[in-house]
Structure formats: C-alpha cells, structure tokens
Amino acid sequence: MRASEIMDRRKAIVELLQENNEIRVAQLVKLFNVSDETVRKDLTYLEKEGVLEKKFGKAVRIKGKALEPVLNRTPVNKNKKIKLVQAALELIDDNEHLIGLDQGSTVALLANALKNKPTKEFFSGSLAAILELANSNHIIHCFGGVYSTNDMSFQNDTGKEMYPDIHLDICFFGSSGVANRKGFCTSSLVDAESKRMLLRKSTKKIVLLDSTKFETTSLVQVAPWSDIDIVITNKGIPTDYEQMIRACSKLILV
C-alpha cells in the first residue's frame, strides 16, 4: 500500500473523530475495507501523534482548540509576534542564502520584514508568505500540494518530497498551541509531515512561538524541542516550559 493511501486513511479517521468524538475499530475495518491489524496500526500511529486515545475496541478523540484561518490570526497578538520577527531577523547571517519559511501568521509577518532585505532564495508552501515576498527581488520557490484555505498554504501529502536535492541554510517554523506537549505542534497531520520534511532539509531550525501558544494545545506534535536549534518566544511563559526548552535547545525571550 502506498504511503499516500495510508496518510489519506489516517486523515479520514481524524475527520471522523472530529465529527463523532469516538469510533469503534470494527466500524473502521468495515468502512475502509482493511484488516483489523491495519486499523490498529493506524490508531497506534495517531495515538503517538497525540490525536486520540485507544480504548478497548475503539478510539476516543483528544480535544484541541481549532485554529482560526490565518488571515484572522495575523492581527491577533500582533505586537507579540512583531517582537519575535525582530529577533528572528537578527539570526540570519549574510552568508545564509537558502531560507525556508513554514506556514502561519508569524512566519508571514517575518516574510514581510524580509522583502526589502538583500536578495535571498526562499522555499515555502505558504501562500501568505509568498505574497509578502512577491514584489521583492528575492528568488521564490513554492512547495506544491493541495491548497488549504484556512492555512493559506500548499500542503503536500503525496509522500513525494519537493526539491529533494536542496538543503536549506536556515528555516523558520510556526506552531499552534504547545500546552501539555514536549515539542512544537500543528493542527493537521499533513502539515506535520510538511514541517518534518523542512526539518530534515535545514541546517539551522528556528521556531517562532508567541507566548499565548503555551495556553492551548494542538492536534499533533511535530517534533521534540531537542530537534530545534532556537526557540523564540515572549517573556513571561510558564517556568516549567522555559526550563524544558532550555534543557535541549537555545531559548530567546523577547
């Protein structure tokens, strides 16, 4: 079975759980016409991602707060986000030319701040970020995929990596809520895979995370803090999270 078919089925399971809160293994076996073992592997994967909890003969959704569309998120906590962007700009060296931009409102604000800077080469699936850079002198490459209206991004869930021979000097990541998690998160399985692809392709990995993200949780943990080089967030985050992040990556508070 192709990786894309497995991911499509797991996405469908998540959608069913979002509608019904719980679903029985027997229902999934019948619905997808696969074996009991296949369904249990799917549920084990989704449980590790923090999407659901397995119980006897069924799966129960772990509830997280749904994200607003990216255009609605941009003005929210904008002052906090601008501080993150200012700190991020200082981390780009003159000799770093290949830059990855993840999706999200904070990364789009960073793209806006970069549009009049010396020419760089950008790689992104975020339409919001690409539009900010569209009238600049920068070289822009777009990761393809299915367009997500809420995230204003192209999300590639085919299992086929775009630009496989390119390695990025630096990549900036956005994140949804990280409460009760030990790493940075997202609201979708497809976006989690896109972020992991960018992590593998990047030398320097930086997460931009405004302080309100420590108050809410998310569907999927993308990677542990130890996979990130630098986390930029606002002052005043909970002490236990500050200690957790400092133990395995560099933390910048602004």
Side-chain angles (χ1 to χ4, degrees), residues 60-116:
V60 179
R61 178 168 70 100
I62 296 175
K63 296 181 180 179
K65 185 179 179 181
L67 279 182
E68 288 281 335
V70 71
L71 286 177
N72 294 355
R73 301 199 303 265
T74 302
V76 177
N77 302 307
K78 190 170 183 179
N79 289 338
K80 291 178 180 287
K81 295 174 183 178
I82 287 174
K83 289 181 179 180
L84 306 184
V85 167
Q86 291 170 341
L89 290 173
E90 297 177 4
L91 297 174
I92 303 174
D93 296 334
D94 291 342
N95 60 351
E96 291 175 326
H97 293 287
L98 302 180
I99 301 176
L101 296 176
D102 185 26
Q103 68 173 42
S105 57
T106 305
V107 176
L109 285 172
L110 174 61
N112 177 269
L114 286 164
K115 64 185 179 183
N116 294 320

Side-chain angles (χ1 to χ4, degrees), residues 1-16:
M1 185 173 292
R2 293 185 302 173
S4 60
E5 293 175 352
I6 295 171
M7 185 58 70
D8 286 343
R9 188 176 61 251
R10 290 171 179 173
K11 282 173 57 184
I13 292 172
V14 172
E15 290 169 359
L16 287 169

Side-chain angles (χ1 to χ4, degrees), residues 13-14 17 42-44 46-54 58-62 219:
I13 292 172
V14 172
L17 281 172
D42 289 338
L43 298 184
T44 297
L46 294 172
E47 185 175 48
K48 288 179 180 178
E49 295 283 23
V51 174
L52 56 82
E53 180 183 0
K54 290 194 300 180
K58 65 181 180 181
V60 179
R61 178 168 70 100
I62 296 175
L219 183 67

Side-chain angles (χ1 to χ4, degrees), residues 109-170:
L109 285 172
L110 174 61
N112 177 269
L114 286 164
K115 64 185 179 183
N116 294 320
K117 299 293 183 179
T119 302
K120 303 284 186 181
E121 201 159 350
F122 288 94
F123 293 77
S124 183
S126 168
L127 179 60
I130 290 168
L131 288 174
E132 294 290 355
L133 296 167
N135 294 319
S136 69
N137 292 322
H138 299 297
I139 301 168
I140 304 167
H141 303 268
C142 179
F143 294 119
V146 177
Y147 182 67
S148 168
T149 303
N150 274 6
D151 293 324
M152 281 190 72
S153 68
F154 298 96
Q155 299 181 348
N156 185 349
D157 60 353
T158 65
K160 185 177 181 180
E161 187 168 302
M162 300 287 285
Y163 302 104
D165 298 326
I166 294 296
H167 195 81
L168 305 172
D169 295 318
I170 186 170

Side-chain angles (χ1 to χ4, degrees), residues 166-233:
I166 294 296
H167 195 81
L168 305 172
D169 295 318
I170 186 170
C171 187
F172 294 94
F173 294 86
S175 178
S176 50
V178 298
N180 303 315
R181 296 305 187 97
K182 296 181 180 180
F184 83 108
C185 302
T186 182
S187 60
S188 96
L189 289 169
V190 176
D191 184 49
E193 290 303 320
S194 296
K195 283 173 162 58
R196 289 166 187 155
M197 180 270 290
L198 284 171
L199 284 171
R200 293 192 298 269
K201 297 178 76 67
S202 305
T203 298
K204 189 190 296 183
K205 299 166 278 286
I206 301 173
V207 171
L208 307 180
L209 188 69
D210 76 75
S211 57
T212 64
K213 302 296 173 59
F214 292 88
E215 300 168 5
T216 59
T217 191
S218 291
L219 183 67
V220 186
Q221 178 174 303
V222 175
W225 298 120
S226 56
D227 285 0
I228 304 303
D229 297 301
I230 302 171
V231 177
I232 307 175
T233 188

